Amino acid sequence: MKTDNILTDMVTQSDFSNVAESIRGNLSSALPKMIEYKTYLQRNVLDVATCNELDDVKNGIVNGSLMTKLIILAKSRWQSGATVDLYCLAMSVATIIKEYDWGTEYLSDKGLFSLAMQIQNA
């Protein structure tokens, strides 16, 4: 299982799935990192969100520009290039999206990989 990709390496779906399976088998190993990332994202998105974006959150209206801001913030935290960290960041973004009442589709394997690719390519 490849977990230490260099930032220039593209994470493959296979690599990502292997890491996801490993983390699900021992969630306690990655949970502190997920919590740290989620806390960072939730705090810092407030510094870049507009009033309209925050209103959309309050009203449960999906806002693409705010989602992009979350992804860019996640990318800024992905310093190691490790697939494990990318998974934890994708999960953090997905749970924030869920809390915004923007849906749960990103919590699926396909959705998490989609977020991971957006973070990687941001």
Side-chain angles (χ1 to χ4, degrees), residues 1-12:
M1 171 176 38
K2 189 174 179 183
T3 60
D4 59 352
N5 299 22
I6 300 171
L7 283 173
T8 57
D9 291 346
M10 291 296 293
V11 174
T12 67

Side-chain angles (χ1 to χ4, degrees), residues 6-120:
I6 300 171
L7 283 173
T8 57
D9 291 346
M10 291 296 293
V11 174
T12 67
Q13 188 162 7
S14 177
D15 292 338
F16 192 79
S17 294
N18 288 338
V19 165
E21 186 176 321
S22 174
I23 288 173
R24 282 191 289 257
N26 185 13
L27 186 60
S28 63
S29 67
L31 193 57
K33 191 172 287 198
M34 288 181 201
I35 292 168
E36 173 194 336
Y37 288 151
K38 185 175 177 188
T39 300
Y40 169 84
L41 295 172
Q42 287 175 312
R43 288 185 178 156
N44 286 280
V45 77
L46 294 175
D47 293 336
V48 295
T50 66
C51 291
N52 288 339
E53 290 167 339
L54 294 175
D55 284 343
D56 285 347
V57 170
K58 185 173 74 173
N59 295 314
I61 299 168
V62 177
N63 185 300
S65 65
L66 187 58
M67 187 181 289
T68 298
K69 290 175 182 180
L70 283 168
I71 289 165
I72 290 169
L73 284 169
K75 172 72 174 216
S76 75
R77 289 298 296 210
W78 191 43
Q79 301 299 313
S80 71
T83 307
V84 169
D85 290 339
L86 183 59
Y87 178 87
C88 291
L89 283 161
M91 181 62 82
S92 298
V93 172
T95 58
I96 291 169
I97 290 168
K98 179 190 166 288
E99 288 176 4
Y100 287 175
D101 288 328
W102 291 356
T104 59
E105 64 271 8
Y106 288 108
L107 291 170
S108 69
D109 289 341
K110 183 178 178 181
L112 286 169
F113 183 69
S114 170
L115 282 174
M117 292 301 93
Q118 291 176 62
I119 292 166
Q120 180 170 280

